[in-house]
Amino acid sequence: MKTFAAVIALLPFLASPVMAQTPDIAASKSLWESNNLFCKNCHGKNGEGAMGPDLAGRGLSAAQFQQEVRKPWGVMPAFVESQLSDAEIAGLAAYFASLPKVAEPAAWRVPLTADMPAGQQAYVSQGCAQCHGATFDMPRATFGGRNTDFATMKELVYNHTTAMPKFEEQRPGSRLRMGNFNPLRLTEAQLKEIYDWAKNDLGFRPELRAELAPASGTTYAINVTNNGEPGKGLTAQGVTINVVVPAGATVTATTGDGYKGVHMDEKAKGNVAEWQVPRIAPKDTKAFTISLSQAPANPADLKGTVRWKKPGPKTGPNNDVVNFAMRPPAR
Ligand code: HEC
Ligand code: HEC
């Protein structure tokens, strides 16, 4: 910040190197739209605004932009240099200054409604739902895999950029997309309410992961793994695995325990092949194969779901699901 202020002060007098580096608008646009930044979840794909204010055509300077990103005025989390550099911030400011103003903001990705329980209302109004969806699925699964306590969650939310790399290995070269939330804006009491809602009302999820890949010919392999830590992670009980049978194909053979045959499924709007297994404990993998009479027209048509009866929410049906689809062939 100090250097930045100094450069700004000198701008009228010097042809500084910063000035020579005219921001690349096209590169800034693709950075904004890329999966490296999730700002768009709150500000809209084109900066039209949603849960966060509109940015397009507002003419915010690089300094104004930088002030907000590093030291947000309100509920927005703060982002550090490794997530978005000063030069990239200047590029984004220039990109949005180049766009026309937008008349109407977009709708929130997950709207705040009066019928939500208090914990979920805190979760949605603090912005979490714009990235994590209405029911906090990914963190509930990570927490369920390790029985994560509130102290750890606090670290992951308030000191995300330092705590997250210790909590979970990052893919090399990838950036953290969540910022650091300010405890003066999102109070510890509110965060505890969110934690309790996730743990006690919805319940933590078993940390299941499913993969579908070609095995040989028109035979495909499905592996369902519980990535939880043994002794800590939740076991999924009463597990149902469904694979949608692509239009025009029939099932010629299957392998794996608990095969129940093919039936019409309302949710999938078509035929599904189904397996049921009593439990998948941490570090267990259940392997299945399905052979079809013909390959799907589009590889992405081969997809399915994993659902489980327990653990589930305190009240009502268990709507938790892990969706999977054919992995694109390795290059
Ligand atoms: C969780 C939703 C959320 C995310 C994610 C988010 N913002 Fe924001 N942003 C807001 C809100 C809400 C405000 C209004 C001020 C505040 O609450 O701090 C804001 C304000 C701003 C402003 C100031 C706008 C003005 O009118 O002065 C800028 C610039 C900005 N955000 C840029 C970004 C960038 C860049 C990113 C990604 C690195 C980002 N935001 C991510 C919600 C978000
Ligand atoms: C801008 C999108 C975004 C917002 C807003 C956001 N998160 Fe995240 N969160 C992520 C992503 C993406 C990760 C994975 C690590 C990363 O890339 O930063 C993550 C990781 C986490 C983790 C670590 C556990 C895990 O499953 O990886 C917790 C806990 C978490 N978020 C809680 C919250 C809470 C609570 C809020 C609201 C106060 C929130 N997040 C708001 C995107 C977001």
Side-chain angles (χ1 to χ4, degrees):
M1 281 306 273
K2 252 189 226 140
T3 353
F4 190 80
V7 168
I8 290 288
L10 290 175
L11 277 183
F13 311 105
L14 288 180
S16 89
V18 168
M19 270 189 87
Q21 268 178 22
T22 319
D24 179 340
I25 303 272
S28 303
K29 175 182 185 335
S30 46
L31 171 65
W32 178 263
E33 290 170 359
S34 78
N35 268 336
N36 279 324
L37 294 181
F38 283 3
C39 323
K40 56 186 173 297
N41 288 9
C42 292
H43 291 285
K45 180 164 181 283
N46 302 305
E48 67 275 33
M51 193 223 149
D54 52 320
L55 302 174
R58 296 267 317 285
L60 296 174
S61 68
Q64 287 169 321
F65 224 88
Q66 172 149 332
Q67 168 71 25
E68 170 67 13
V69 171
R70 301 280 187 246
K71 294 189 175 146
W73 278 284
V75 299
M76 178 172 130
F79 296 86
V80 299
E81 174 80 25
S82 62
Q83 296 180 288
L84 188 62
S85 71
D86 292 354
E88 286 170 333
I89 291 176
L92 291 179
Y95 164 53
F96 286 115
S98 78
L99 293 180
K101 256 176 111 68
V102 182
E104 284 279 327
W108 292 26
R109 288 160 64 93
V110 176
L112 181 63
T113 61
D115 60 342
M116 290 174 170
Q120 190 176 22
Q121 281 187 350
Y123 168 78
V124 175
S125 54
Q126 291 289 339
C128 322
Q130 306 308 310
C131 294
H132 289 295
T135 48
F136 205 32
D137 290 355
M138 178 187 77
R140 278 200 296 124
T142 335
F143 289 3
R146 312 172 189 207
N147 196 17
T148 303
D149 59 13
F150 179 58
T152 307
M153 183 200 198
K154 256 184 358 192
E155 274 296 297
L156 287 168
V157 172
Y158 294 141
N159 301 312
H160 184 71
T161 50
T162 47
M164 191 68 204
K166 292 180 211 149
F167 183 73
E168 202 166 84
E169 223 176 293
Q170 255 181 281
R171 270 182 298 117
S174 76
R175 306 187 196 198
L176 290 173
R177 291 148 299 175
M178 173 171 152
N180 297 316
F181 281 83
N182 183 343
L184 299 175
R185 294 292 189 178
L186 163 62
T187 65
E188 196 174 317
Q190 285 172 313
L191 190 58
K192 182 67 167 52
E193 217 171 10
I194 296 173
Y195 178 85
D196 289 344
W197 163 71
K199 179 168 186 171
N200 302 331
D201 294 350
L202 294 177
F204 289 168
R205 295 160 56 113
E207 199 176 354
L208 295 180
R209 187 191 160 89
E211 286 189 335
L212 193 161
S216 69
T218 53
T219 297
Y220 305 88
I222 301 118
N223 288 317
V224 183
T225 302
N226 186 328
N227 282 324
E229 278 179 34
K232 285 189 177 171
L234 295 169
T235 294
Q237 299 169 55
V239 185
T240 299
I241 297 103
N242 275 347
V243 174
V244 178
V245 181
T250 54
V251 177
T252 56
T254 66
T255 65
D257 292 341
Y259 184 56
K260 298 290 173 198
V262 173
H263 65 89
M264 172 66 197
D265 185 80
E266 294 291 324
K267 278 199 194 103
K269 294 188 192 74
N271 283 331
V272 298
E274 179 168 314
W275 290 259
Q276 289 179 9
V277 293
R279 59 204 311 272
I280 307 182
K283 293 291 167 270
D284 274 1
T285 295
K286 302 286 180 202
F288 312 92
T289 65
I290 185 168
S291 303
L292 299 175
S293 57
Q294 62 181 67
N298 176 354
D301 290 347
L302 202 55
K303 59 186 178 188
T305 58
V306 181
R307 293 174 190 275
W308 54 95
K309 289 210 178 80
K310 283 190 208 166
K314 207 183 321 184
T315 55
N318 187 350
N319 294 321
D320 281 333
V321 60
V322 170
N323 293 299
F324 59 87
M326 181 107 87
R327 217 181 331 140
R331 268 177 297 166

